[in-house]
Every structure is written in structure tokens, then in C-alpha cells.
Amino acid sequence: MSTTRHPSDLPYPSVDEMLGEALYPHESDLALQIADAIEKSIREQYRPGQARRDAHPKATGFVEAEFRVNDSLAPSLAQGVFVPGKVYQAWIRFSNGAGDPTRSDDNDDGRGMAIKLLGVPGPKLLENDREATTQDFVMINHPVFLANDPHRYLSLVEKASSGRLLDKVTIPFALGLKGTLRAKEISSGKISNPLQVRYFSAVPYQLGVGAERQAIKFSVMPATAEVDPMPAQRGPDYLREAMKRTLAERDVVLKFLVQPRTSDSMSVEDSMTAWDEAQAPFFEVASIHIPRQEFDTPERNRLGEDIAYSPWHSLPEHRPLGSTNRLRKLIYDRISRVRHEMNSVEQPGR
């Protein structure tokens, strides 16, 4: 099976066998087919000037923050952006996972958090963005993803974007039993405030370069156990309203954690299985300070729509690992280009 590459598509990532990566059959072709299917869906769903992300299109808040690396770190953790004592300015986007940007916050859904650090020196991984001065970290509020196999992911995308009811009904067959259970877990549940939720990378990343590089996952969690009660009356944008109330009253502090892999049995290709925290504990490497602010303005909301996040907006020290991340390189870049082309805007802050 062969797929025609779009002239502007990026080269497909190679694998790091030392860290346990291994290609699936026809993986690069499948990545292009997934990108084609999502692009087709976006062009059919939106008119020019109104294109949105295919996933996580509804932002519940786009805020400015400071990312403060701890003053003291073990040498194995003090890699890449984790320079002890370093402070970065950042843009953070909180979002709902469902593909419908008009969907009410009151629906069960997965939630997302994407961090863009600014002023990060050094060549980056993306071939079309080597001179970028940013580093992205992308997360969801669940420790695992819903698919490993690119074939299953392609089938999911095709069925989910189909207008035929039969295709949507057969999505569980595309995902398989474990994938269906994971999808249900990820998209289930309500939250009262996106600033009070724990988020996970769900998929692995590299930390460091050279012979000492290691596989890790990362997570962000609130610095306090405070959780707002679930409001009795929940409007369609109640999560945005909760963030606005919180950041009108006080600053918010979150912890950024790294989970080094402690055994080769913790697969970098199996993003559907969490690494046991009892065997591979998380370590705090930085804190995120979100100051009080008014973020729900036309200018800020527009920037939040226009800005692009990708795990591959990255230093080599934080290279994405595993099939899900390899697919993301082509898919995220293609969809970002399509969205910005349809909206006739430049991509800010890459």
C-alpha cells in the first residue's frame, strides 16, 4: 500500500531502538492517510475563515503563565528546558476534547492542557521550524491514550468523521475492546474547574540526548487539593466561567512532574497502558504560576485560536517517542497548516 505524500508534508520520524521504539507496518503511509482523512473532515465541517482544530477545538481558557524550573534537580532530570532556576514565560491553553466546538461543557468529555514555553534557545526538531524559540508540552486529563496501532487509529478517524450512522455505531469494532474501554474512560466524567485537574502526557518522551537519554512521561497537577464544588446549574460555558472567577480572585500554582521509566517492560509503544507510579514515581521538576488575569477578551481568544501546539515543537532533549507521537508529527503539522490556510492567518508563537 502506498500513499502520495503532499509536497509540504514533513519527513516521517525514525525510531530510537535503544529506547524501545519499533515501527508498525506501513506506519508512514497510515500517518498520511490519517492526515488526509482529518483534512477532508475539517474542509467539509468549516467554511473559510472559521476552521477550527479537529480535536480539542473548544478552549475553556487561554492564559499567560510563568514556568519556573526548580533550583535543584538531579543531573538525570536537568536536561533540555529543565535548567535549574530557569524561568520561562508561557502560553497555556485549556480545552475540551470533543470535536464539536459548540458542545456544552456539561457533557462528559476529556480535557486538555497545552503549554508553550517562550524564549527557548537551540535548534528544534521540526524541519520547517528549526529556528523556533518555543517548546510545547501537550496533555490530557487521563494517563493513557485510546490506541496504539495506526491501523485502528485510521479506522477510528474515518468512522468518526463519516456522516453515516452505521460507521459511527461500529467505532468500537475499530478500536477493539481495550481501545473502546480506554476511549470511554477518557471521554467520561465532568470537572468543576480546569485549573484543579491533573493532566498527563499519556504517551512517552525522551529526556536528554546521547548515551544517557531516557524515556519519561510527564504530568501536571495542582499544588493544592482545593476543588470547587460542582455547580448545581451548569451553563454551556461553565468551565470558562469557573476559570474566570478563579483568576479574578487569585493566582494559581501547578506542579510539573516527570516520570522516568525504570524498566524496559514499561513500553514506549504501548500508550494504552500506564506506567505504575509505585515502580516509576514522578518527580517535581518545575512549577507553573498562573497570575490573576482577565483572559476572556477578543484579542486573547483570537490568539488562542491562531496559536499552534505540537509535541514536535521541541528540543531534541524532549523528542516524542512511540507510534502515537510519530503519527502526530505529520498529522499536527498538516492540520495546523490547513486550519491557518483556511483562516488566512499566520501561525503565531511557534
Side-chain angles (χ1 to χ4, degrees):
M1 175 176 56
S2 179
T3 302
T4 302
R5 181 177 294 277
H6 191 280
S8 57
D9 281 325
L10 299 173
Y12 200 70
S14 58
V15 297
D16 188 333
E17 295 180 355
M18 193 198 94
L19 291 182
E21 284 193 291
L23 286 170
Y24 280 82
H26 310 295
E27 188 175 304
S28 62
D29 280 346
L30 290 164
L32 292 171
Q33 291 180 63
I34 295 168
D36 288 345
I38 297 175
E39 175 177 350
K40 180 174 182 289
S41 176
I42 290 174
R43 292 190 183 279
E44 291 176 346
Q45 183 176 355
Y46 298 106
R47 295 194 301 269
Q50 299 179 5
R52 306 286 288 271
R53 293 166 170 86
D54 65 300
H56 292 268
K58 183 178 182 179
T60 52
F62 181 69
V63 301
E64 56 183 344
E66 280 191 344
F67 187 96
R68 304 176 184 176
V69 183
N70 291 0
D71 290 334
S72 178
L73 290 177
S76 62
L77 299 178
Q79 305 290 328
V81 298
F82 304 132
V83 178
K86 180 77 172 177
V87 178
Y88 301 92
Q89 299 304 306
W91 287 116
I92 302 179
R93 183 178 187 268
F94 295 89
S95 60
N96 292 340
D100 179 2
T102 66
R103 195 167 186 250
S104 171
D105 294 349
D106 195 33
N107 285 281
D108 283 4
D109 203 351
R111 319 293 169 171
M113 177 185 186
I115 304 170
K116 184 178 293 290
L117 304 186
L118 309 178
V120 179
K124 304 307 187 294
L125 290 172
L126 286 180
E127 291 82 357
N128 61 357
D129 224 7
R130 295 288 193 199
E131 303 306 314
T133 57
T134 58
Q135 167 72 47
D136 292 0
F137 296 105
V138 179
M139 290 162 282
I140 59 174
N141 67 325
H142 204 272
V144 294
F145 192 58
L146 52 78
N148 294 324
D149 188 333
H151 292 85
R152 288 192 181 278
Y153 192 45
L154 172 61
S155 182
L156 168 65
V157 169
E158 290 177 335
K159 291 179 181 297
S161 60
S162 170
R164 296 183 299 178
L165 177 61
L166 180 60
D167 284 338
K168 297 184 185 299
V169 170
T170 58
I171 284 176
F173 295 98
L175 284 176
L177 177 59
K178 186 174 183 179
T180 299
L181 292 174
R182 291 288 182 260
K184 184 176 180 180
E185 292 168 1
I186 291 169
S187 61
S188 294
K190 294 178 175 65
I191 62 172
S192 60
N193 191 324
L195 297 167
Q196 299 169 350
V197 175
R198 186 173 180 184
Y199 298 90
F200 300 84
S201 67
V203 292
Y205 292 78
Q206 183 173 310
L207 182 61
V209 293
E212 300 303 314
R213 67 191 184 279
Q214 59 183 320
I216 61 102
K217 294 182 180 181
F218 52 83
S219 177
V220 167
M221 64 183 298
T224 69
E226 179 182 6
V227 177
D228 292 347
M230 187 68 73
Q233 301 296 323
R234 296 185 289 274
D237 301 311
Y238 83 91
L239 294 178
R240 175 174 286 263
E241 295 303 317
M243 286 186 62
K244 287 167 63 175
R245 285 193 302 272
T246 298
L247 292 177
E249 297 171 357
R250 61 186 183 276
D251 299 352
V252 170
V253 179
L254 309 172
K255 299 177 182 180
F256 191 98
L257 314 171
V258 164
Q259 182 187 31
R261 183 174 62 164
T262 56
S263 168
D264 289 344
S265 65
M266 298 175 180
S267 171
V268 300
E269 292 295 346
D270 180 10
S271 59
M272 298 169 71
T273 303
W275 295 351
D276 187 347
E277 292 190 39
Q279 299 179 31
F282 279 88
F283 298 93
E284 182 181 347
V285 296
S287 59
I288 298 168
H289 294 249
I290 305 176
R292 288 187 295 173
Q293 61 191 274
E294 181 183 354
F295 65 84
D296 193 12
T297 67
E299 296 78 15
R300 181 70 67 80
N301 292 334
R302 173 47 55 191
L303 178 58
E305 286 305 309
D306 292 345
I307 204 166
Y309 288 92
S310 168
W312 291 87
H313 290 164
S314 174
L315 290 169
E317 288 88 345
H318 306 294
R319 181 181 180 274
L321 297 174
S323 63
T324 299
N325 270 330
R326 291 192 298 272
L327 296 173
R328 281 171 160 178
K329 182 186 178 187
L330 269 62
I331 295 167
Y332 277 42
D333 186 73
R334 172 85 74 83
I335 302 316
S336 178
R337 284 190 284 106
V338 167
R339 180 165 60 91
H340 289 87
E341 170 210 313
M342 288 181 67
N343 293 338
S344 300
V345 296
E346 297 292 329
Q347 298 189 50
R350 289 185 66 175

